[in-house]
Amino acid sequence: MSETPARSQPIKLNIIDQPLDAYTGGPSSLCPGCGHDQISSVIISAAWENGVEPHRIAKMSGIGCSSKTPAYYLGQAHGFNTVHGRMPSVTTGAAAVNRDLLYLGVSGDGDSASIGIGQLIHAIRRNLDMVYIVENNGVYGLTKGQYSATAEIGSKKKKGKANEQPPIDLCALAINLGCTFVARSFSGSKKQLNALLKAAMSHRGFALIDVISPCVTFNNNDESFRSYGYVKENEVTLHMADYIPQRVPMEEIEVPEGHYRDITLHDGSVIRLETIDADHDPSDAVAALAALHKAADDDHHVTGLLYFDPDMPIMHDNLGLPEASLIDLPADALRPSEAALDAVVARFRGA
Amino acid sequence: MTTIVNDFTLNIATANGTGSQSANLILLQSLFNMGIEVSGKNLFPSNISGLPTWYIVRVSDAGYQAPGDRTHIQVLMNPDTWAEDLADLQPGSVVIWNTDAKMVMDRVDVVSYPVPMTTMARTLNPKLARMVANVIYVGVIAEMLGIEDDAILAAIAGQFKGKASAIDLNTQAYRLGRTFANEELTKADPYAVEARGNPGGRFFIEGNEAAALGAIFGGVQMLAWYPITPSSSLAEGVINYIPKLRTNEHGEATCAVIQAEDELAAAGMVVGAGWAGARGMTATSGPGISLMQEFIGLAYFAEIPSVFWDVNRVGPSTGLPTRTQQSDLQMLYEGSHGDTQHIVLIPGTVEECFEFGWRAFDVSERFQTPVFGLSDLDLGMNRWTCEGFTYPDVPMDRGKVIRDRDVFEAMEDFGRYRDVDGDGIPYRTLPGSGMAPILSRGTGHDPSGKYSEKSHVYLDLMQRLRRKIDGARPHLPAPILREEEECDVGIVYFGSMENSIQEIDDIIESGGRKVSQCRVRSLPLHPEVEDFCARHKTVIVLEINRDGQLWGIMRRELPNHLVDRVHSVAYSDGMPPRASVYAERIIATIEEVEG
């Protein structure tokens, strides 16, 4: 059922006859072992497996280590490495005039939880149709290791004293704002991240994936709550997530032995959530918040699809726009006629 | 007593939130309907209800639109400003006052017309008496000045468009005031109006509405805005015109409108729309531009078309948010950190607000750079006489954007930032096209769009950007010149100062001196501005701010041999420019220069 290809088989083509290479980008200049590079590789494989036309993706980012990564994947797509914390507004403007692209945003915890938290909040509030990945490591990397607003109390980075201020949990924030797709994952859990990312691409609305992505240089020591070792020890997985593309008949999919939930996404694809311990209902915001708070109390990280709401209108539904993107309108649809101007002026003159 | 016809200033002192604005607009429109040259200025507070408001009506056969130096006729409605307004009047002024305000009117050297306005209003509608009282003074003024009955009735009908009960109530109130004045007051002042024929094709419109209409005809595809006085009515103008002018056969809008969470986001949305290949704009004022600076630098450096309207108000900080000033010029021209230079279009009339409203998009897409429209509160929010609007005389210029794959493939060695044509303007492809995709960025980049920190790459890029904006000069709106033969003194000015310049010129001329005029309509400066300076021995740069911002720009950009002849007259006290204040300073400067 899983179709995750090994990257060592580049000759294999996806459903639109594209090799994996059509989805790759330039070489990474991040530190060797950086969690962000693992996320980039999942972005490449998920887009390839989903058969998205690579040039129909718009890669959006803000500023920071995370926001450099669009150069490392999807080289056939246009992208915009904008300004710090402001990727949501640029994406909003672009999406308003071109609704035919898959907007794939990558941000970091400084970008999203501090300087850009307002723009993140308002993009969620508008239910902008985009995938928004936070590569969340608890520190500012490019400025050499200051705590960010997602660092937990008591977590200690490589240098300096332990963090003393409470963290902003972006998933809890998003759920409270009514975000329509909220997931948490870990850069080291590539299978789960792959399934969640493909589901997010199939979602119509704002899909937030908060990915714990360890900073190997400044925050990967054992006392850090966001080191590889700590997260592996303390990850609480809500469910086993599998993505079943719309093109695959459900009857061909093996039915799990235990309890599971199938959630149908906007394009007809399904994300199957197999219960591990206790069942989690992603339509239940209170249960999702409870899971987050419990994990926080235990100094754990809970991962999986926390919350999902298929029914909220997206930004476009409220703008009164045509189905066709505005950028494709011809000049005569944009400039009213001379007679129209004459009529406006005649009305002024009659007043 | 000699009658003074069509030459006086009337000042109406009320509190805001009392409905006086509609009464004042009826008065203004009725004078306009008689073909009289008239202008109105609303001096309003940053408040919804209860603070002082003045409405100044200038009636002038000479066509003067500045508020004038003194008040000839004062209407007193507001107890809070009563004593001060009264004390400011020169002897012989006329005072029309509401006796129900229970305030003392103890000036004996003025012409007094006491009127029990609230009591009279109460007989018509007790609940709305406070509002109706304003229309009573319209009736009194109409009777005392001789405003035609038909002109008032047409103005009332226009103000309340089809709302029968409002038209009826206001007509009754107006008649009550007029009848009272006719029966109870004896004309003891010299002021009168006389009809000057049909206003012809002319009409009143606010600059913000004209600019909004211009944007609609400019094909705006996305408006992102955050409310701020005095620009909100520009954004709302666009919104109001979309249903009638910018919907398709299914009633769907061809322009997206997003009310942003702040000005940073509004700027980001404009940049996003421009990056995607659409015509995006925002409208704001100085504080909003301050917040947008980071994006302005990004748009300049990444070469993203984007249109920003700044309706200037008094700064710094919150300043005097409902007063007018020309103090954002430098901030727009050099906006953001680092070496930048931006195109600024500066309308001085409502006709130009319309024209620059559409032209801004052509210029922005042609030069792939932010373009600012610079208006101000006076031009944007007051009603001005308009001759009409000229339909765009050129097709939309979308600039060097490649949408066609054949065209793209015919190009050799495409690079997003390559200067193929030698004009500094590169070619671009759009997201989704699959043609030469790049990661647009605010970091250093080479001609192909790839990240680079190399010295020569940066240097070449910055020099090209300068060449690009420099190259725009002759393509931007040329200055409007009015030249005297002597060419001794030339006045350079911009924007809404246009509405005071004729009176300033007449005051200077009445002192026996003729001066030429050059109204700058764009930055960077058009070559004709330098030519004008070269033709005049003394150049005075006139502007409504403290430090002489245009003067500073000219001193930096003019050749050395012209710099010494350029002098500054800059003054701003928050009021719309009174001609004599500026004329006196110009004369003093000329005398100082000439020794």
Side-chain angles (χ1 to χ4, degrees), chain A residues 29 54-61 63 67-72 74-98 100-101 103 115-116 118-123 125-126 315-316 318-351, chain B residues 29 33 154 158 161 200-205 209 213 215-222 241 244-246 248 251-262 264-279 294-295 298 302 304 354 358 362 386-396 398 403 429-443:
Chain A
S29 64
H55 70 278
R56 302 301 284 171
I57 296 174
K59 305 178 291 182
M60 312 303 288
S61 69
I63 293 291
S67 295
K68 291 166 72 164
T69 65
Y72 317 145
L74 298 168
Q76 293 187 23
H78 275 76
F80 204 162
N81 176 198
T82 65
V83 288
H84 202 11
R86 317 294 176 213
M87 174 261 279
S89 65
V90 177
T91 309
T92 303
V97 297
N98 186 350
D100 295 323
L101 304 184
Y103 290 90
I115 190 168
Q119 294 216 340
L120 170 63
I121 284 171
H122 285 274
R125 181 170 172 255
R126 289 186 187 97
M315 179 180 82
H316 275 97
N318 298 323
L319 291 179
L321 301 176
E323 276 301 313
S325 284
L326 296 181
I327 60 153
D328 294 328
L329 293 177
D332 63 358
L334 299 177
R335 171 168 289 169
S337 67
E338 189 161 4
L341 180 63
D342 291 345
V344 171
V345 170
R347 212 168 56 241
F348 286 134
R349 288 180 170 144
Chain B
Q29 186 69 43
N33 290 347
K161 291 187 181 81
R202 302 189 307 163
F203 54 89
F204 268 139
I205 189 168
E209 185 171 357
L213 197 56
I216 288 282
F217 280 83
V220 58
Q221 287 161 293
M222 201 235 29
Y241 278 114
K244 189 157 270 182
L245 294 172
R246 289 292 303 278
N248 64 15
E252 296 155 339
T254 57
C255 175
V257 177
I258 304 173
Q259 186 179 319
E261 56 268 36
D262 54 34
L264 286 84
M269 291 170 196
V270 172
V271 169
W275 174 74
R279 299 191 146 189
E294 189 181 27
F295 267 122
L298 174 68
I304 312 291
F354 175 81
W358 61 263
D362 286 1
C386 181
E387 303 288 341
F389 297 128
T390 307
Y391 192 72
D393 53 352
V394 286
M396 287 202 281
R398 305 306 305 259
R403 292 169 188 265
T429 59
L430 301 180
S433 68
M435 293 185 273
I438 64 156
L439 185 62
S440 301
R441 54 173 75 241
T443 39

Side-chain angles (χ1 to χ4, degrees), chain A residues 6-350:
Chain A
R7 286 195 62 192
S8 57
Q9 300 172 331
I11 230 66
K12 198 173 166 190
L13 302 179
N14 68 2
I15 53 154
I16 59 164
D17 295 329
Q18 293 290 323
L20 187 67
D21 282 356
Y23 294 80
T24 56
S28 170
S29 64
L30 299 176
C31 308
C34 178
H36 300 357
D37 283 336
Q38 295 175 308
I39 298 171
S40 292
S41 79
V42 174
I43 290 172
I44 291 165
S45 59
W48 181 72
E49 289 160 20
N50 259 14
V52 187
E53 290 182 280
H55 70 278
R56 302 301 284 171
I57 296 174
K59 305 178 291 182
M60 312 303 288
S61 69
I63 293 291
C65 291
S66 61
S67 295
K68 291 166 72 164
T69 65
Y72 317 145
Y73 52 79
L74 298 168
Q76 293 187 23
H78 275 76
F80 204 162
N81 176 198
T82 65
V83 288
H84 202 11
R86 317 294 176 213
M87 174 261 279
S89 65
V90 177
T91 309
T92 303
V97 297
N98 186 350
R99 59 192 304 177
D100 295 323
L101 304 184
L102 169 61
Y103 290 90
L104 178 64
V106 167
S107 178
D109 37 316
D111 210 53
S112 285
S114 284
I115 190 168
I117 195 166
Q119 294 216 340
L120 170 63
I121 284 171
H122 285 274
I124 291 173
R125 181 170 172 255
R126 289 186 187 97
N127 202 17
L128 178 63
D129 189 12
M130 76 174 296
V131 177
Y132 191 107
I133 298 170
V134 182
E135 301 186 343
N136 192 338
N137 56 21
V139 287
Y140 287 82
L142 275 183
T143 51
K144 304 206 168 180
Q146 300 81 11
Y147 285 118
S148 82
T150 62
E152 296 81 357
I153 293 176
S155 178
K156 190 186 165 308
K157 59 188 169 66
K158 194 164 156 191
K159 289 183 181 165
K161 56 182 186 175
N163 178 51
E164 292 165 345
Q165 290 189 58
I168 292 173
D169 187 318
L170 290 172
C171 290
L173 177 75
I175 292 165
N176 277 313
L177 290 165
C179 184
T180 52
F181 184 112
V182 183
R184 174 161 289 153
S185 190
F186 169 44
S187 63
S189 305
K190 287 175 93 168
K191 184 171 177 295
Q192 180 199 50
L193 179 58
N194 177 286
L196 290 171
L197 181 53
K198 284 191 281 190
M201 288 175 175
S202 295
H203 177 61
R204 183 177 187 266
F206 196 96
L208 176 77
I209 309 181
D210 181 29
V211 188
I212 302 160
S213 175
C215 173
V216 291
T217 303
F218 298 109
N219 203 20
N220 198 32
N221 44 306
D222 289 346
E223 310 93 316
S224 165
F225 290 16
R226 281 166 192 265
S227 63
Y228 276 112
Y230 187 92
V231 181
K232 275 179 189 154
E233 288 292 309
N234 294 285
E235 182 181 2
V236 177
T237 311
L238 279 177
H239 34 232
M240 300 281 288
D242 259 314
Y243 177 84
I244 303 161
Q246 186 264 340
R247 61 182 181 274
V248 177
M250 279 308 272
E251 53 271 20
E252 291 181 11
I253 307 296
E254 192 183 331
V255 178
E257 285 179 13
H259 181 263
Y260 68 95
R261 287 173 182 272
D262 279 348
I263 291 177
T264 306
L265 303 158
H266 283 92
D267 64 0
S269 303
V270 166
I271 184 160
R272 173 164 290 178
L273 307 173
E274 294 178 39
T275 303
I276 298 172
D277 291 327
D279 178 43
H280 175 67
D281 176 3
S283 70
D284 185 344
V286 175
L289 289 170
L292 286 166
H293 284 289
K294 169 125 191 10
D297 287 347
D298 300 341
D299 292 337
H300 291 157
H301 297 290
V302 62
T303 62
L305 179 59
L306 286 155
Y307 184 68
F308 176 73
D309 172 7
D311 298 324
M312 234 219 350
I314 62 167
M315 179 180 82
H316 275 97
D317 298 336
N318 298 323
L319 291 179
L321 301 176
E323 276 301 313
S325 284
L326 296 181
I327 60 153
D328 294 328
L329 293 177
D332 63 358
L334 299 177
R335 171 168 289 169
S337 67
E338 189 161 4
L341 180 63
D342 291 345
V344 171
V345 170
R347 212 168 56 241
F348 286 134
R349 288 180 170 144

Side-chain angles (χ1 to χ4, degrees), chain B residues 189-517:
Chain B
D189 69 85
Y191 304 106
V193 297
E194 268 177 24
R196 292 290 181 249
N198 193 300
R202 302 189 307 163
F203 54 89
F204 268 139
I205 189 168
E206 295 171 9
N208 281 352
E209 185 171 357
L213 197 56
I216 288 282
F217 280 83
V220 58
Q221 287 161 293
M222 201 235 29
L223 165 73
W225 69 297
Y226 186 77
I228 180 172
T229 303
S231 74
S232 300
S233 57
L234 203 169
E236 286 165 341
V238 173
I239 294 166
N240 291 339
Y241 278 114
I242 286 174
K244 189 157 270 182
L245 294 172
R246 289 292 303 278
T247 49
N248 64 15
E249 66 275 19
H250 308 296
E252 296 155 339
T254 57
C255 175
V257 177
I258 304 173
Q259 186 179 319
E261 56 268 36
D262 54 34
E263 286 93 342
L264 286 84
M269 291 170 196
V270 172
V271 169
W275 174 74
R279 299 191 146 189
M281 72 173 276
T282 188
T284 186
S285 189
I289 296 287
S290 293
L291 290 172
M292 294 176 180
Q293 293 289 350
E294 189 181 27
F295 267 122
I296 289 164
L298 174 68
Y300 173 77
F301 198 48
E303 302 181 66
I304 312 291
S306 41
V307 171
F308 303 77
W309 275 86
D310 178 358
V311 187
N312 204 151
R313 67 189 214 185
V314 173
S317 191
T318 309
L320 311 180
T322 58
R323 298 285 190 261
T324 198
Q325 199 167 57
Q326 298 181 313
S327 52
D328 291 345
L329 186 74
Q330 212 149 16
M331 170 170 71
L332 300 185
Y333 189 45
E334 299 161 9
S336 202
H337 54 275
D339 289 321
T340 65
Q341 185 186 20
H342 306 297
I343 293 171
V344 188
L345 306 181
I346 315 167
T349 65
V350 285
E351 289 87 351
E352 288 174 357
C353 286
F354 175 81
E355 183 195 331
F356 297 174
W358 61 263
R359 203 179 279 283
F361 294 109
D362 286 1
V363 175
S364 186
E365 290 196 319
R366 168 54 46 189
F367 294 98
Q368 295 180 27
T369 198
V371 168
F372 295 96
L374 174 58
S375 177
D376 63 30
L377 183 142
D378 192 18
L379 180 59
M381 287 191 74
N382 285 315
R383 292 189 181 192
W384 302 97
T385 302
C386 181
E387 303 288 341
F389 297 128
T390 307
Y391 192 72
D393 53 352
V394 286
M396 287 202 281
D397 180 359
R398 305 306 305 259
K400 297 185 190 179
V401 55
I402 300 172
R403 292 169 188 265
D404 188 336
R405 188 164 275 281
D406 292 340
V407 176
F408 174 71
E409 279 166 3
M411 290 187 77
E412 284 172 32
D413 195 22
F414 179 91
R416 169 65 183 93
Y417 296 112
R418 209 176 295 288
D419 184 7
V420 176
D421 302 326
D423 56 5
I425 309 170
Y427 286 82
R428 63 185 180 126
T429 59
L430 301 180
S433 68
M435 293 185 273
I438 64 156
L439 185 62
S440 301
R441 54 173 75 241
T443 39
H445 42 269
D446 67 14
S448 72
K450 285 204 173 63
Y451 179 70
S452 174
E453 293 181 356
K454 292 193 174 105
S455 298
H456 71 274
V457 169
Y458 174 77
L459 187 66
D460 286 353
L461 168 56
M462 294 306 288
Q463 294 300 330
R464 178 177 63 74
L465 288 175
R466 184 156 81 177
R467 211 166 60 241
K468 180 177 84 163
I469 303 296
D470 260 340
R473 292 176 195 265
H475 301 287
L476 300 177
I480 302 290
L481 306 175
R482 293 187 205 91
E483 292 203 51
E484 299 291 344
E485 282 174 18
E486 292 89 349
C487 288
D488 283 341
V489 179
I491 310 286
V492 174
Y493 66 101
F494 66 96
S496 68
M497 185 64 96
E498 173 67 6
N499 300 310
S500 301
I501 200 70
Q502 184 61 50
E503 190 175 4
I504 291 170
D505 187 54
D506 287 352
I507 293 170
I508 295 171
E509 199 167 324
S510 70
R513 183 186 293 275
K514 288 185 181 236
V515 295
S516 303
Q517 291 141 33

